[in-house]
Amino acid sequence: MKREEGSIMGKRSGWLALAVALVVCMGAVYLMPAGAAEEKPAAAQLLQAMEDSGATATEVQVRARTSIGLVSSPEEVEELAKGWAKQLEIPFTHVEISRKNQMLAYQTETTQGGVQIRYEVSGVAKNGSFDTYVVWQLKGSRQSLLYMEQLQESFANALKKADFIPQISTCIRGMYNVKMSVDQQEGKILSIFRSLHATEIERLQDETVVSISGYTRAWEPFIALNGQKMNLQVATHRDSDDAGTWITVGTPIITVEY
């Protein structure tokens, strides 16, 4: 889902949804984490904190995007797509080619070890050349978390060997099996903040949703929010159909609908 440039969080369809400056989506531009450095995956820590609060995890998602330089032709974008697929050991088959506006993209999907892998190399036209990017997304479950972390480290290391630092975001969705009031949702979120030794920076809520953003020293990468470091966001919303309450935790921000 594309989120337009604006405040960190906004309103959508009657409940709060995230609005991020420079959207974090497949093929879109990522927020640049300040001080990006080699880091162990944060997914296990996020998952543990969520489960300790009483939620059951339903999905784990990791997205990454890396700028890989300027090329002069569409053919070179294609060669980069093939070359990086080989580097990352991703089968370059059933490739979808997308051409719209000023962007050319090569995309493919595969599944390994219970993890859905989506891979993309895109080129954005600029003064007769193309700014190019590698984008990958991993989607799995609690059961496939260990393999997801292995893939994440493998992909990140391959890029770092070429002196590229991937911008990585991690989101985990889960559910409590009871419908919670806003006060109860707030309590669950703050319990996760305490578990991660996080400091609150910003909070938004309405009748069914609570979203709190903050900073933890548990991992290093962060983004800047109003002059402060931010690398944690937790949001909950009471489901209008199911007898439960959804929770999403993300670093440095939530990059999926919640």
Side-chain angles (χ1 to χ4, degrees):
M1 170 181 153
K2 213 166 191 177
R3 296 177 171 84
E4 296 178 350
E5 188 171 9
S7 65
I8 283 291
M9 288 161 283
K11 200 155 203 134
R12 183 182 183 275
S13 302
W15 51 275
L16 294 175
L18 190 75
V20 180
L22 298 180
V23 184
V24 189
C25 281
M26 296 299 294
V29 180
Y30 274 59
L31 277 169
M32 175 78 73
E38 186 170 350
E39 284 285 317
K40 292 291 183 182
Q45 291 170 280
L46 290 174
L47 180 64
Q48 187 64 56
M50 174 192 283
E51 291 184 335
D52 286 348
S53 75
T56 300
T58 59
E59 182 181 271
V60 182
Q61 189 173 125
V62 178
R63 301 172 187 242
R65 181 177 184 275
T66 310
S67 173
I68 55 173
L70 199 66
V71 299
S72 58
S73 69
E75 290 76 18
E76 289 179 273
V77 178
E78 182 179 8
E79 287 305 309
L80 282 174
K82 292 177 180 177
W84 275 107
K86 184 176 181 179
Q87 285 284 330
L88 301 178
E89 298 182 350
I90 296 174
F92 198 66
T93 55
H94 307 292
V95 178
E96 178 183 340
I97 304 173
S98 174
R99 292 183 176 88
K100 54 185 177 182
N101 299 326
Q102 300 298 309
M103 189 171 79
L104 168 65
Y106 292 83
Q107 304 166 339
T108 187
E109 293 187 16
T110 187
T111 300
Q112 298 177 9
V115 178
Q116 179 185 332
I117 304 170
R118 185 175 181 186
Y119 163 80
E120 174 185 301
V121 167
S122 60
V124 180
K126 180 180 179 181
N127 299 325
S129 300
F130 291 86
D131 278 326
T132 56
Y133 304 87
V134 172
V135 183
W136 47 265
Q137 175 182 282
L138 308 176
K139 188 183 293 186
S141 64
R142 194 198 196 294
Q143 290 69 35
S144 59
L145 177 62
L146 180 60
Y147 187 57
M148 285 184 69
E149 290 183 326
Q150 292 172 350
L151 285 173
Q152 177 181 335
E153 289 193 288
S154 175
F155 290 175
N157 287 337
L159 288 160
K160 287 169 185 173
K161 285 180 181 178
D163 293 327
F164 298 125
I165 303 297
Q167 301 162 25
I168 298 174
S169 64
T170 303
C171 291
I172 301 178
R173 298 194 73 206
M175 177 171 272
Y176 302 102
N177 60 7
V178 294
K179 288 192 174 183
M180 296 182 181
S181 67
V182 167
D183 287 345
Q184 290 172 318
Q185 292 177 52
E186 177 188 352
K188 292 295 186 181
I189 293 175
L190 293 179
S191 75
I192 292 173
F193 268 60
R194 287 192 296 271
S195 177
L196 295 171
H197 305 288
T199 302
E200 179 179 338
I201 295 174
E202 182 179 85
R203 174 189 303 219
L204 291 174
Q205 64 186 56
D206 66 8
E207 295 82 4
T208 61
V209 177
V210 181
S211 175
I212 301 178
S213 304
Y215 177 74
T216 174
R217 296 182 182 274
W219 48 83
E220 177 59 28
F222 62 88
I223 61 173
L225 174 63
N226 298 326
Q228 300 182 79
K229 294 179 180 180
M230 171 182 164
N231 64 1
L232 176 66
Q233 185 182 7
V234 185
T236 54
H237 83 271
R238 189 169 64 245
D239 196 295
S240 58
D241 298 319
D242 298 326
T245 302
W246 288 99
I247 180 167
T248 307
V249 297
T251 182
I253 53 174
I254 293 173
T255 57
V256 297
E257 262 189 67
Y258 62 81

